[in-house]
Every structure is written in structure tokens, then in C-alpha cells.
Amino acid sequence: TPDQDVLRCHRVGSPMPAGYDIYNVPYAYRAQYPDGPSARYRYSDGYIYQIDPATQLVTAAIEAIAS
């Protein structure tokens, strides 16, 4: 089975690329993943990425499952 991190667009520990500075989390997830002082959230390719605002590094990748 391939490593799930390899399949994701952005890996945990890597810097989030330019162009993800606008909050783009789908509406269904916004109440659960709001931007705050300790984390920012961005969406790409079926995943919600938690970003450290100080370092701009991806700290978590959460699979967004449609309900």
C-alpha cells in the first residue's frame, strides 16, 4: 500500500506553496476548521491542510469526506 503522505498534494512538514493565503475551506467544514492565531486551514485536492502561521509549514493533512 502506498504511503498516504506521498499521495497528498502537500506533505506534513513541507512549506505550503504561494497562492494559499486566502481561506478556501469548503463551507461544510468551516465551523470545524476556522483560521486562528495558532493554525490556518487551507483546502486542496480533497484534503484540509493545517498550517502553522509562524512557519507556513503544513502541520496536518485531514481528509475531507463529503457527507
Side-chain angles (χ1 to χ4, degrees):
T1 307
D3 180 6
Q4 290 297 313
D5 266 349
V6 174
L7 299 176
R8 292 185 192 127
C9 185
H10 313 292
R11 288 203 252 180
V12 172
S14 67
M16 198 65 176
Y20 284 92
D21 51 339
I22 296 173
Y23 185 69
N24 68 341
V25 173
Y27 287 106
Y29 297 97
R30 289 187 176 194
Q32 190 174 357
Y33 300 106
D35 280 355
S38 63
R40 293 189 183 129
Y41 295 92
R42 299 297 179 263
Y43 178 82
S44 179
D45 294 329
Y47 286 87
I48 298 169
Y49 294 93
Q50 181 179 327
I51 315 296
D52 182 317
T55 64
Q56 296 301 308
L57 296 178
V58 176
T59 55
I62 302 125
E63 188 172 10
I65 299 172
S67 50

